[in-house]
Amino acid sequence: MSKKTVEDVSFQGKTALVRVDYNVPMKDGVVVDDTRIVSTLPTLRYILDDGGKIVLCSHMGRPKGEPKPEVSLAPVAEKLAELLSEAVLFADDDTVTGKKAQRVAEQLKNGQARLMLLQNTRYRAEETKNAGEYAKELASFADIFVNDAFGTAHRVHSSNVGVCDYLEGVLGFLMEKEVRTLSKAIDDPVRPVAAILGGAKVSDKIGIITHLIEKVDKILIGGAMAFTFLRAQGYETGISKVEEDKLDLAKDILKKAEQKGMRFLLPRDVKAAKAFEDTAEYVVREIDKIGADEMGLDIGPKTIKMFVEELKDIKTVVWNGPMGVFEFDHFAEGTLKIAQALASSDCFSIVGGGDSAAAVKKLGCEKEISHVSTGGGASLEYLEGKELPGIAAVSDK
Ligand code: ADP
Ligand code: MG
């Protein structure tokens, strides 16, 4: 069902409570990466141009329900003002919605500025519990609610779900793009569509595998996850990461793929090392030749070639999970080569998952992917086919 966005309502003469994700990296009280702030500017400018005022709210870090100066949003207000070339009032209120914040809201009403930022929503314990009167207090600052924080869309918190009990909610441009792009790739893709899955554990991704196996035409498996499947097929995998308690599950998944007649591809070779280290010496091993004291840390050259070949006729790719330990230079090649293959094809590609997005960024291939989701956990839950509460809570069109 499609949801209302900022374009479906009027902000003229209204104040909007805008939930953003300003959980930005900080060092010594200074914002070191303003990407997340910059990415909200289109929504903010749209509301201002439409004649609205803005009360912003966000969490930062995990202050666990009490004021913690190191995660105060004060430096964020400064950065935002600089980026917008416009005053942003900061409500330096340890209770977030108390008297101090209300006085700043008066200044907003009086026309001293068009924007204000509330203190870190997680200074209050009710935030993550969506409990008590907190959502009502947040809502009291505004006439309408705009959710532009995809990163918390899978959470039921006061500042994204609770507030919708008191205000009409709509999506901002960032959220709208995430929802539109993910739903297109998963529920209405141009076929054939492939899923590339990797990363740390099968157990983290059971929901994703069982959902995507019903949606896609082909599944390519890399990362540590591959070893649980390979073991389930009877291969000796040395000291590679294997989840012994998930072998039966892996067998079930393999059987299901076979019944469906779909291509479910596992690595043919790996880069194997004796230690989990950045500069570990490695050898390329065929999948039936992994030594008892070796672990696979990346997919090997034959596998890369096979995966690239398998992706040639593919029109849509959904990717979660790095192909290897991309954090180590020796074991980043598999992930890099797959990203490059996507770049040189005309397919539509999306990447979801926190570490997967980090991998694509670290390897400098973000531009080669059509859409890298900004929400780690939220994108994973979306790939599992779950409804995201932060999206469900806003108004339907
Ligand atoms: P995401 O956060 O995108 O869902 P995951 O958390 O599932 O991704 O997986 C990312 C992690 O998987 C990375 O830290 C990476 O080092 C690790 N990984 C990938 N391949 C292997 C491997 N062969 N052995 C051990 N760890 C691996
Ligand atoms: Mg992860």
Side-chain angles (χ1 to χ4, degrees):
M1 186 171 303
S2 93
K3 293 289 181 179
K4 277 194 188 174
T5 76
V6 284
E7 292 182 303
D8 296 312
V9 291
S10 165
F11 291 94
Q12 176 58 45
K14 289 189 182 157
T15 300
L17 177 69
V18 184
R19 175 56 159 106
V20 285
D21 182 359
Y22 286 167
N23 184 25
V24 294
M26 304 277 297
K27 197 162 186 245
D28 304 326
V30 180
V31 176
V32 289
D33 180 352
D34 62 8
T35 314
R36 285 186 172 167
I37 307 177
V38 171
S39 64
T40 64
L41 298 181
T43 298
L44 303 184
R45 290 209 174 100
Y46 180 87
I47 297 170
L48 295 173
D49 289 349
D50 198 33
K53 287 183 181 174
I54 295 174
V55 177
L56 287 149
C57 67
S58 173
H59 75 285
M60 183 189 281
R62 295 170 187 266
K64 305 222 166 110
E66 50 185 89
K68 292 255 166 67
E70 63 275 20
V71 286
S72 163
L73 287 179
V76 174
E78 262 174 53
K79 189 78 203 174
L80 177 63
E82 187 188 312
L83 291 167
L84 277 172
S85 309
E86 171 158 357
V88 176
L89 305 174
F90 179 61
D92 194 358
D93 187 327
D94 282 349
T95 65
V96 189
T97 56
K99 289 245 160 56
K100 277 189 184 167
Q102 287 162 23
R103 271 201 292 278
V104 177
E106 279 305 315
Q107 295 176 347
L108 195 75
K109 269 204 194 96
N110 298 338
Q112 291 181 34
R114 296 195 292 173
L115 303 101
M116 69 179 268
L117 173 63
L118 295 173
Q119 185 53 286
N120 190 339
T121 50
R122 292 192 189 166
Y123 274 19
R124 293 268 298 270
E126 302 100 304
E127 163 68 336
T128 54
K129 295 180 190 141
N130 189 25
E133 298 281 289
Y134 189 38
K136 193 175 174 184
E137 292 167 27
L138 288 166
S140 73
F141 285 83
D143 310 301
I144 186 160
F145 174 64
V146 176
N147 193 343
D148 217 10
F150 186 65
T152 50
H154 59 314
R155 305 286 187 210
V156 180
H157 290 173
S158 296
S159 68
N160 69 333
V161 173
V163 288
C164 293
D165 288 343
Y166 306 97
L167 295 174
E168 165 160 45
V170 300
L171 302 180
F173 291 122
L174 266 184
M175 276 284 250
E176 189 275 332
K177 186 179 178 215
E178 288 279 3
V179 175
R180 177 167 36 86
T181 315
L182 292 172
S183 71
K184 172 85 186 129
I186 293 161
D187 299 313
D188 182 26
V190 182
R191 288 186 183 271
V193 50
I196 306 173
L197 301 174
K201 291 181 185 166
V202 176
S203 52
D204 286 344
K205 305 294 169 65
I206 298 167
I208 296 184
I209 301 173
T210 45
H211 184 59
L212 292 185
I213 209 167
E214 303 296 338
K215 300 267 179 183
V216 304
D217 304 306
K218 218 181 241 190
I219 296 187
L220 315 184
I221 304 264
M225 185 200 277
F227 296 101
T228 299
F229 285 103
L230 290 166
R231 251 311 246 293
Q233 288 184 327
Y235 290 103
E236 292 301 330
T237 52
I239 50 170
S240 306
K241 261 196 180 179
V242 169
E243 289 169 276
E244 299 286 346
D245 61 334
K246 293 290 175 290
L247 292 177
D248 285 340
L249 177 89
K251 281 180 195 155
D252 289 346
I253 293 169
L254 289 165
K255 201 191 277 155
K256 177 117 192 227
E258 197 182 317
Q259 282 163 357
K260 293 179 86 71
M262 79 189 301
R263 292 180 73 69
F264 190 95
L265 296 144
L266 292 164
R268 285 187 187 157
D269 61 349
V270 294
K271 283 185 177 171
K274 290 190 172 149
F276 189 83
E277 276 165 16
D278 202 345
T279 52
E281 290 298 319
Y282 65 84
V283 280
V284 172
R285 293 278 189 225
E286 298 285 317
I287 226 59
D288 56 356
K289 303 252 165 23
I290 300 174
D293 58 349
E294 292 173 348
M295 67 184 104
L297 295 179
D298 195 8
I299 54 176
K302 274 191 188 157
T303 309
I304 293 176
K305 196 154 172 264
M306 166 176 74
F307 282 6
V308 170
E309 198 60 38
E310 290 285 344
L311 290 169
K312 275 206 171 120
D313 62 331
I314 293 293
K315 294 287 175 236
T316 304
V317 168
V318 178
W319 184 5
N320 167 251
M323 295 292 97
V325 185
F326 71 94
E327 297 93 334
F328 298 167
D329 292 346
H330 281 180
F331 307 103
E333 189 188 4
T335 306
L336 181 66
K337 288 276 166 66
I338 297 300
Q340 286 170 344
L342 297 180
S344 59
S345 89
D346 62 353
C347 77
F348 184 78
S349 52
I350 62 163
V351 166
D355 291 294
S356 305
V360 163
K361 275 182 208 157
K362 178 170 188 260
L363 302 175
C365 34
E366 206 175 0
K367 279 190 213 75
E368 289 156 17
I369 308 294
S370 314
H371 179 74
V372 180
S373 178
T374 57
S379 64
L380 294 184
E381 293 203 11
Y382 201 96
L383 298 184
E384 289 176 22
K386 288 190 187 154
E387 181 176 63
L388 301 180
I391 293 165
V394 308
S395 298
D396 295 325
K397 265 201 184 164

